Amino acid sequence: MRQTELFTKTRREDPADEVSKNAKLLIRAGYIHKEMAGVYSFLPLGLRVLEKIKTIVREEMNAVSGQEILMTALQEKELWEKTDRWDDAKVDIWFKTKLKNGTELGLGMSHEEPLVQIMKDHIKSYRDLPVSAYQFQTKFRNELRPKSGIMRGREFLMKDMYSFHSEQSELDTYYEKVEAAYERVYKRVGLGDYTFKTFASGGIFTKYSHEYQTLSEAGEDTIYISREKNLAINEEVYTDEVLAELGLERSELEMAKSIEVGNIFKLSTRYSEPLGLVYLDEAGKSYPVVMGCYGLGISRLMGTVVEVLADAGGLVWPKAIAPFSFHLVSLGNSAEVIKGAEELYKELAEQKIDVLFDNRDLSAGEKLADADLLGVPYRIIVSDKTLANGKFEVKDRRSGEVSFMTASEITALV
Ligand code: ATP
Ligand code: MG
């Protein structure tokens, strides 16, 4: 893509009404647009990152036999009353609206109830189990004072998967598979070294749920981590009793701020029982279906990558989720530079390598500052100097390392 064709512009100044690093940088770089507090639109560059994260998550959910679906945002009050989750006194983050005839509706903040309702049409016998379904969907939550940018939206993108089983033991086995899939996701998006499986409250009929927490000073959570054992405990369950149960000593744990990038639960029959999702066993006897649920904040994950990896110059994207692999920047207006940059751009494009080509007629200082701000993994400079040298200058955005390469060496990088 030619940068002259990209409609978004960068800005030098931080937006006045943002405190979080992720919102400041993503707005300055033109990745997102703030509609109102906690509500952001994704612009071309931002959407490319979001889609790459979704692709990784989709591959990993498919690998554990998840079947992708798309449920509705509009939710029926009666369904949520059956599980006692409609009342604002019980769930205080609902956005509610009304039909013209006065019928109350909710905007989905989670999707256990509607999926159980769907599954009642499809799960009849033990032969129909196990099954697992997931979606990428906009969730609506009336969060109090969101100040963490896209990490805490009132409207945000979540991947939520739900699994259905005949036995608790089968759920236990499947849950472990999903844990491994989550670990692969965080590793692939570049947060593997910073993300810990964390024991947290909120399990239903089991003592814990598990969160995936990424270390960051920008986090709203506090956890106690053991790097050696590669796990952590959320402060909400950090008690002597829990420590003893997990075989951990206070002295081996280190306190840290963190961001919750995922949360998985064993639900047991919490939703299947009140909603009547049952299956018949071999003898024709009826039992409630045993469930698990697996949430992962897609937009929050993007914000977390910014919080963890961005530097003083701007955004820094891991290769797997960067909007482009290369940022080709021409410096100067000589006929040789224009020709050299155009030729390299065509060569990369022919090889289907995704490259952003800064062909704008701006000063070197402006173009280099923008390249740093946008955070594409490799910046390639074409200038009179590099042409005289016979090689292109390639800078690794993350390490700052500069090397000189031929066109074929550049294509070999991806
Ligand atoms: P939190 O404790 O941060 O409010 P939660 O426990 O309510 O989150 P879940 O209902 O478990 O969140 O949702 C699954 C995942 O969705 C979370 O682990 C998080 O990554 C993401 N998420 C939750 N709330 C938001 C939000 N307001 N904006 C962006 N992502 C969110
Ligand atoms: Mg949670």
Side-chain angles (χ1 to χ4, degrees):
M1 181 176 206
R2 288 168 192 276
Q3 220 165 322
T4 44
E5 285 164 11
L6 181 67
F7 76 79
T8 56
K9 303 281 183 292
T10 59
R11 27 169 144 160
R12 292 284 153 256
E13 302 300 323
D14 280 336
D17 56 348
E18 290 286 357
V19 288
S20 72
K21 173 168 150 186
N22 73 83
K24 283 181 187 169
L25 281 175
L26 290 168
I27 289 171
R28 277 185 51 206
Y31 279 63
I32 62 170
H33 173 81
K34 183 181 194 168
E35 302 294 339
M36 61 188 97
V39 182
Y40 299 89
S41 294
F42 287 79
L43 305 181
L45 297 175
L47 185 60
R48 289 178 78 104
V49 175
L50 210 60
E51 289 297 329
K52 289 202 172 174
I53 296 174
K54 278 171 69 178
T55 298
I56 289 172
V57 174
R58 179 177 284 126
E59 285 172 5
E60 296 300 345
M61 295 306 108
N62 290 347
V64 292
S65 311
Q67 300 178 44
E68 188 169 354
I69 57 171
L70 179 58
M71 284 185 269
T72 64
L74 293 178
Q75 295 294 315
E76 202 184 30
K77 169 183 171 179
E78 288 70 27
L79 180 61
W80 293 80
E81 279 176 339
K82 289 185 187 150
T83 56
D84 200 21
R85 292 217 291 173
W86 177 260
D87 191 347
D88 290 326
K90 299 276 166 53
V91 174
D92 63 0
I93 48 160
W94 273 112
F95 278 108
K96 293 178 180 174
T97 184
K98 278 196 182 104
L99 293 180
K100 291 212 195 297
N101 69 8
T103 305
E104 272 191 290
L105 299 178
L107 296 179
M109 47 93 194
S110 192
H111 281 78
E112 287 81 1
E113 283 81 347
L115 186 56
V116 168
Q117 192 67 15
I118 289 173
M119 287 302 177
K120 283 173 70 177
D121 286 347
H122 302 281
I123 296 173
K124 304 288 176 194
S125 103
Y126 68 96
R127 287 188 212 91
D128 303 322
L129 296 169
V131 56
S132 178
Y134 73 95
Q135 63 173 347
F136 295 97
Q137 220 224 22
T138 301
K139 303 286 190 225
F140 296 88
R141 292 186 181 182
N142 202 345
E143 304 274 6
L144 212 64
R145 275 179 280 114
K147 57 174 172 43
S148 298
I150 61 168
M151 296 197 303
R152 185 171 294 286
R154 291 193 164 117
E155 177 179 337
F156 63 96
L157 192 64
M158 192 199 287
K159 183 284 300 175
D160 45 330
M161 181 163 80
Y162 306 89
S163 68
F164 301 84
H165 309 267
S166 48
E167 305 274 344
Q168 181 71 33
S169 62
E170 190 189 270
L171 166 63
D172 293 345
T173 309
Y174 186 71
Y175 192 88
E176 278 177 28
K177 277 198 200 170
V178 179
E179 285 181 333
Y182 268 55
E183 266 155 44
R184 290 194 296 271
V185 167
Y186 300 119
K187 199 169 172 184
R188 289 180 64 185
V189 301
L191 293 176
D193 292 346
Y194 311 92
T195 304
F196 290 82
K197 177 176 143 184
T198 305
F199 290 81
S201 69
I204 296 162
F205 302 121
T206 52
K207 212 161 195 172
Y208 312 104
S209 73
H210 294 100
E211 293 171 342
Y212 288 85
Q213 294 274 2
T214 303
L215 301 183
S216 167
E217 278 307 310
E220 295 179 9
D221 290 5
T222 300
I223 59 171
Y224 293 84
I225 59 172
S226 162
R227 288 182 197 268
E228 211 189 332
K229 294 183 178 153
N230 194 31
L231 55 82
I233 305 179
N234 193 305
E235 72 173 344
E236 62 187 23
V237 295
Y238 183 68
T239 62
D240 286 328
E241 191 199 328
V242 169
L243 286 168
E245 206 172 280
L246 300 176
L248 293 164
E249 303 275 337
R250 271 177 204 267
S251 58
E252 62 183 319
L253 297 171
E254 159 193 345
M255 188 175 114
K257 296 300 273 177
S258 61
I259 302 163
E260 184 198 311
V261 288
N263 198 181
I264 62 177
F265 288 83
K266 291 179 183 175
L267 297 172
S268 193
T269 58
R270 162 70 179 90
Y271 298 99
S272 52
E273 223 155 348
L275 297 173
L277 174 62
V278 295
Y279 72 95
L280 299 176
D281 75 357
E282 276 176 81
K285 207 165 168 257
S286 167
Y287 294 95
V289 171
V290 173
M291 291 175 60
C293 78
Y294 318 87
L296 196 151
I298 301 293
S299 42
R300 181 179 288 183
L301 198 53
M302 175 172 162
T304 303
V305 170
V306 177
E307 295 291 338
V308 173
L309 298 179
D311 64 19
L315 300 167
V316 178
W317 297 111
K319 286 174 214 162
I321 62 166
F324 291 93
S325 300
F326 293 105
H327 198 170
L328 171 61
V329 181
S330 61
L331 300 182
N333 279 323
S334 71
E336 291 75 23
V337 165
I338 291 170
K339 183 164 165 277
E342 285 287 342
E343 274 174 11
L344 181 60
Y345 179 56
K346 284 198 192 98
E347 192 169 339
L348 294 173
E350 262 163 31
Q351 305 211 34
K352 303 264 179 291
I353 291 173
D354 54 332
V355 49
L356 179 64
F357 176 21
D358 190 354
N359 56 338
R360 298 174 304 168
D361 187 12
L362 291 177
S363 74
E366 281 171 289
K367 292 176 88 164
L368 296 177
D370 271 356
D372 279 348
L373 178 61
L374 295 189
V376 173
Y378 295 108
R379 186 194 72 191
I380 309 169
I381 298 289
V382 179
S383 65
D384 287 319
K385 211 168 98 194
T386 66
L387 288 173
N389 192 340
K391 288 192 173 185
F392 302 103
E393 179 192 307
V394 181
K395 184 174 162 192
D396 180 316
R397 174 68 183 84
R398 191 160 178 188
S399 68
E401 217 171 283
V402 174
S403 37
F404 293 88
M405 297 185 182
T406 61
S408 59
E409 284 168 338
I410 288 174
T411 54
L413 284 172
V414 287

